[in-house]
Amino acid sequence: MAIRIVRLGEARSRGEGVRLGTVRRPPRGVPKERFASEDWYDTWLPNLAPSAELMQWVHTAEPSEANWRRFVQRFRSEMKAPEAVHVIAALALLSHQANFSLGCYCVEESRCHRSVLRDLLSEASAEIR
């Protein structure tokens, strides 16, 4: 059993399990009833998405290593909120009992909050595939 970190909208892998969308907003132009059938997500978990303010900053900041480090630091700080800590702890425990996935829309995981979620889940002893 394990968590997979995925790009939302891409075809599901065999055995992936339930897909959780850790995004601030639902996919544009896709009716809610088609989210799962079109491989976006089965349920929405926006409490593990960067805040609207952080998303606005990252989309206007110049792409650089320094700005990426700032983003990671700010997102990790947001994930210290009790509601995020509890969700991460619960998902880490569940990862030993069930297959499921977390995802975001970004093309490149290494420059996406899901890479930080991967680290946070790993630090919480989650089983990650």
Side-chain angles (χ1 to χ4, degrees):
M1 305 290 118
I3 301 172
R4 292 179 196 225
I5 308 299
V6 300
R7 180 172 182 216
L8 301 178
E10 289 188 347
R12 294 174 191 251
S13 300
R14 190 169 152 223
E16 182 178 311
V18 173
R19 191 176 271 196
L20 308 172
T22 62
V23 291
R24 180 64 31 213
R25 293 189 173 82
R28 290 182 185 193
V30 180
K32 188 185 299 188
E33 59 274 359
R34 293 197 341 231
F35 289 172
S37 65
E38 293 185 8
D39 292 330
W40 294 102
Y41 50 76
D42 297 301
T43 194
W44 189 26
L45 197 59
N47 12 3
L48 294 186
S51 66
E53 296 80 17
L54 183 52
M55 290 303 297
Q56 182 178 357
W57 175 81
V58 79
H59 287 298
T60 58
E62 184 173 325
S64 69
E65 284 300 315
N67 282 339
W68 172 248
R69 285 191 301 275
R70 275 189 211 101
F71 171 82
V72 170
Q73 180 181 22
R74 289 176 65 182
F75 182 59
R76 278 182 164 271
S77 179
E78 290 181 356
M79 292 297 99
K80 289 179 182 175
E83 59 273 12
V85 170
H86 296 304
V87 171
I88 289 170
L91 294 175
L93 284 172
L94 287 170
S95 73
H96 298 279
Q97 303 295 318
N99 289 327
F100 60 95
S101 58
L102 302 176
C104 180
Y105 310 124
C106 297
V107 174
E108 183 58 48
E109 182 183 330
S110 67
R111 287 294 186 257
C112 174
H113 81 282
R114 69 183 190 260
S115 67
V116 181
L117 286 176
R118 177 188 294 276
D119 292 342
L120 291 169
L121 287 159
S122 181
E123 292 163 15
S125 300
E127 184 70 31
I128 301 174
R129 184 172 298 148

